[in-house]
Amino acid sequence: MAEPKKLTPIEIEAIVSAMILAIQLLSNYIGDDTALTEEEKVAFINRIKLAQLSVPEWK
Amino acid sequence: MKRKLLVGVLLLTFLVGCAYLQTTKQKYEAITISYESVGMIAFPTVLAYLQQRELNGSLSGDALVNAKAAYANARTKYIEAGNMIIGFIQAPQVNPNVMSSVALMLRQVAIILADLSGGTVQNNVMTIPVIGGK
């Protein structure tokens, strides 16, 4: 059977770019002045959890 | 549609980059948006490609087993990185260096997904240039 069209380099780069940016941001993270409020913390944590849940399993 | 989504990722990364040197809250926002982009766009896109290959038989046998193992590994690392970010948000003073570990884990995820989607990733100091499909 014919192999489906592979992702193009630009598509792959787009995917990886998001990760690279995350890595760069996280690597250069500097804690500073203003802490988050409890409400803001909960909001960010919920978004992270939602992102975790949206990663599909490959069965 | 897929291409449009990925262009959206690029635009998103640009916008996130604009917030790079802003306040603490904006930094958390940038980190969260980036993390969301990987989980909600990159993983499903790569998985759709792999499942299409599995369905038409171009990915089978040992290669299929290996690809599934690699994908599961990337997924585990991604989720673990998220847990570390959550821990950091809850108590940044406990382990201020945890974000370095998160960065390394996400980099591994990037390499695995790029490899699974037919590209290769080269190591570099601060960037991971992608070389086109195999």
Side-chain angles (χ1 to χ4, degrees):
Chain A
M1 283 187 179
E3 192 170 310
K5 177 184 170 297
K6 287 183 177 177
L7 295 177
T8 64
I10 185 72
E11 289 168 335
I12 296 168
E13 185 147 11
I15 292 170
V16 177
S17 290
M19 300 181 195
I20 293 169
L21 182 69
I23 291 166
Q24 288 176 334
L25 286 167
L26 298 174
S27 300
N28 292 289
Y29 178 82
I30 303 166
D32 61 15
D33 44 36
T34 51
L36 296 177
T37 65
E38 283 306 311
E39 196 175 68
E40 288 167 340
K41 282 184 182 180
V42 170
F44 281 122
I45 288 170
N46 285 341
R47 285 172 59 188
I48 296 288
K49 286 180 177 174
L50 186 61
Q52 289 176 316
L53 291 173
S54 26
V55 177
E57 282 188 74
W58 187 10
K59 296 177 180 174
Chain B
M1 185 61 184
K2 183 174 65 180
R3 190 179 296 268
K4 284 181 182 173
L5 277 176
L6 290 169
V7 170
V9 172
L10 281 179
L11 287 173
L12 189 63
T13 54
F14 171 76
L15 292 173
V16 169
C18 292
Y20 183 55
L21 293 174
Q22 302 301 311
T23 66
T24 295
K25 184 180 177 183
Q26 286 171 316
K27 285 176 182 172
Y28 276 109
E29 182 69 33
I31 289 169
T32 304
I33 288 177
S34 300
Y35 188 79
E36 287 173 331
S37 301
V38 175
M40 295 177 173
I41 299 176
F43 267 98
T45 303
V46 171
L47 182 59
Y49 167 73
L50 292 170
Q51 285 178 324
Q52 191 185 358
R53 290 194 59 195
E54 182 184 11
L55 278 177
N56 75 8
S58 66
L59 184 61
S60 59
D62 286 347
L64 177 61
V65 173
N66 290 338
K68 284 195 175 187
Y71 181 87
N73 184 27
R75 186 173 179 275
T76 301
K77 285 182 188 299
Y78 176 79
I79 290 172
E80 195 176 332
N83 289 336
M84 292 165 76
I85 295 172
I86 289 172
F88 185 77
I89 292 173
Q90 288 172 327
Q93 71 282 4
V94 172
N95 185 358
N97 298 320
V98 73
M99 291 313 238
S100 299
S101 302
V102 171
L104 285 174
M105 290 179 69
L106 289 179
R107 185 181 179 283
Q108 289 171 343
V109 170
I111 290 171
I112 294 169
L113 289 187
D115 185 51
L116 284 173
S117 60
T120 55
V121 176
Q122 279 190 332
N123 191 1
N124 207 328
V125 180
M126 280 304 291
T127 60
I128 307 176
V130 174
I131 297 178
K134 290 174 183 172

